[in-house]
Amino acid sequence: MFDKSQIIHLIQQDLKHSQLTEALRNLGLDDGGLYSLDLMSLVAQLMQVPPEHMEDFAEIYGSYLDRAAAYPVTYLDEYLLPVAEACYFKLMGGIED
């Protein structure tokens, strides 16, 4: 099985990465996806997402990544932890049969 807290931490780190790449994009430094970490695939693997649920999973996960820029960037990412937790629970609801 998987460890919920580790998955939430991975999501939190991906949210932070999304914040930072969006800030760079806003400065005109678009990486064109070159620096994507693809943590979504790792999270999906750890959560054992069936292939038939991947589209919904990616849509939910991506929507949270898109929202990350709205939160303050901090050293400890304390604002992103509740967002990562909400994402995790939304994903869990989206992959259950």
Side-chain angles (χ1 to χ4, degrees):
M1 200 70 179
F2 51 86
D3 184 301
K4 177 178 95 171
S5 65
Q6 290 176 331
I7 293 171
I8 291 172
H9 185 71
L10 280 171
I11 295 170
Q12 183 182 17
Q13 293 308 302
D14 208 8
L15 291 168
K16 181 175 185 166
H17 183 260
S18 183
Q19 280 183 324
L20 299 176
T21 55
E22 182 63 25
L24 289 172
R25 195 172 302 118
N26 290 337
L27 292 172
L29 300 171
D30 190 349
D31 68 353
L34 182 63
Y35 297 117
S36 172
L37 299 176
D38 194 28
L39 292 180
M40 183 186 329
S41 295
L42 180 57
V43 170
Q45 180 182 6
L46 292 172
M47 292 180 73
Q48 301 172 350
V49 178
E52 63 270 16
H53 290 127
M54 272 309 294
E55 189 174 328
D56 291 335
F57 180 92
E59 186 176 321
I60 292 167
Y61 196 99
S63 73
Y64 279 87
L65 290 179
D66 291 343
R67 293 185 224 168
Y71 294 88
V73 176
T74 63
Y75 180 74
L76 298 175
D77 309 320
E78 63 271 13
Y79 295 105
L80 295 178
L81 180 57
V83 180
E85 290 170 337
C87 179
Y88 173 82
F89 289 112
K90 179 81 171 185
L91 291 169
M92 285 301 296
I95 63 173
E96 293 176 354
D97 288 326

